Amino acid sequence: MAGMDEFIDRLNPEMYVVTAAAGGERAGCLVGFASQCSLRPVRFVVWLSELNHTFRVARNADVLAVHLLGREQHALAELFGGHTGDRTDKFRDVPLREAYGGALVLRDAPAWFVGRIVTRTGGGDHIGFVLDPVEWGSHQEDDGPLLRLSEAVTIDPGHPVD
């Protein structure tokens, strides 16, 4: 596996906050496993750990909201990545708005979209949620650098990795 570690260690993907709401619960987490996965139709996949509170809410949701973070939003990444929704209301002091299908959109995210969940697929210890984008937005004036994995590695996960 050493060769694969060398490959993976070279990656530096954008970090996302994914939010979900279902059954009167709301959840959100920091995600590093996400990507566009189709051109026509446009589809995007986010991978959520089965151990994560957000996964448990998302499996009952119809839509998810996916947010890019700016490099200067490390504190927001820390909130959503370093705490678990099992013990913390991550949304208590975060400006939000409700979007398509009851999705929770972080007002301060430089760019975001809401996606209708098309399918879920296994992938090891994470489940992929394939999304059909139905609503999106951005702060046009906020085109600075995005938060990447290399800036988020100091965040201790709110849930164990295994």
Side-chain angles (χ1 to χ4, degrees):
M1 211 45 148
M4 193 61 198
D5 287 343
E6 290 174 18
F7 180 89
I8 290 171
D9 287 347
R10 296 186 77 162
L11 303 177
N12 195 22
E14 294 88 4
M15 300 301 292
Y16 304 87
V17 169
V18 174
T19 59
E25 287 190 85
R26 57 189 188 173
C29 65
L30 188 65
V31 172
F33 302 152
S35 177
Q36 182 176 345
C37 59
S38 175
L39 292 172
R40 288 190 184 90
V42 172
R43 295 284 189 263
F44 196 89
V45 63
V46 294
W47 297 88
L48 301 177
S49 167
E50 292 181 87
L51 300 175
N52 193 303
H53 178 251
T54 303
F55 169 78
R56 293 191 304 275
V57 175
R59 70 180 171 200
N60 296 312
D62 295 322
V63 296
L64 299 177
V66 180
H67 309 80
L68 288 169
L69 297 180
R71 186 175 290 157
E72 76 287 351
Q73 293 180 297
H74 194 274
L76 194 58
E78 173 76 37
L79 173 65
F80 282 93
H83 300 274
T84 173
D86 292 322
R87 294 186 295 272
T88 303
D89 178 3
K90 298 179 189 181
F91 299 96
R92 187 181 64 207
D93 298 320
V94 176
L96 297 170
R97 77 170 187 82
E98 194 171 303
Y100 178 93
L104 301 172
V105 172
L106 308 180
R107 288 188 185 267
D108 294 336
W112 58 271
F113 79 91
V114 173
R116 188 176 46 78
I117 300 169
V118 175
T119 192
R120 296 164 181 86
T121 185
D125 59 1
H126 284 61
I127 301 297
F129 289 75
V130 178
L131 305 175
D132 173 21
V134 293
E135 185 180 355
W136 47 86
S138 68
H139 298 291
Q140 297 295 350
E141 69 283 356
D142 191 356
D143 63 352
L146 298 175
L147 183 74
R148 294 191 173 272
L149 177 62
S150 61
E151 288 109 26
V153 294
T154 59
I155 298 172
D156 290 325
H159 268 286
V161 199
D162 51 13

